[in-house]
Structure formats: structure tokens, C-alpha cells
Amino acid sequence: DLLLAPNLPVAPPRVDEPLAASLSGPDPLGALGAVAGLPALALPCGQEGGLPVSLQLVGPPRSEARLLSAGALLQARTTFHHPRPPL
């Protein structure tokens, strides 16, 4: 089994906005996965206000191959990774 969750709990900042302000909130799933040593994979899943947003797949220990296979399957069946953000 894999866990599907938002990659970040906030919308992405524009290029001219400070990055630190957008990422100052907690990221409990990311922190928990890192502390537990769980492998994770971030993938694009659409856009919010014209900017890309992503999801993450988190797996049990030693499930890197399963994560990569699931990520490849998702990108083969969607076009979320095709658009480019505005400059």
C-alpha cells in the first residue's frame, strides 16, 4: 500500500514572493516520513492560480521500486507534468 497526500500544505508562491514566508507552516506528514525513514515521491497533480501543485506518495520501508512504478504509471496516464508555469 502507498499513502497519497498533498506534497505541501500551502499553494506555491509566485517567483517574486519570498519563499520562506510560504513555507513557514508545519508539514507534519513530511516530517513524520523523514523521521521514520519512509521513502516518498513528489509528483505534479495540477495547478492552483496558474502555478503547479504536487502530491506525494509515501511508502513503507524499502518500497522505492513500488513508488517509482506508481509514479511512472500516474505520469503515463495523466498530463499534469506537461504544462509549464508562467515566467
Side-chain angles (χ1 to χ4, degrees):
D1 294 341
L2 300 174
L3 176 65
L4 173 69
N7 191 36
L8 290 175
V10 296
R14 299 198 75 77
V15 171
D16 57 350
E17 295 175 1
L19 184 60
S22 296
L23 301 179
S24 62
D27 180 13
L29 181 58
L32 182 61
V35 168
L38 302 177
L41 177 67
L43 296 160
C45 66
Q47 294 190 358
E48 174 69 33
L51 296 172
V53 292
S54 59
L55 58 85
Q56 67 176 326
L57 295 172
V58 181
R62 296 177 299 280
S63 64
E64 289 85 354
R66 187 182 326 166
L67 284 170
L68 293 174
S69 293
L73 181 64
L74 180 71
Q75 287 200 325
R77 295 187 178 187
T78 65
T79 59
F80 295 132
H81 57 289
H82 290 183
R84 299 287 180 231
L87 297 177

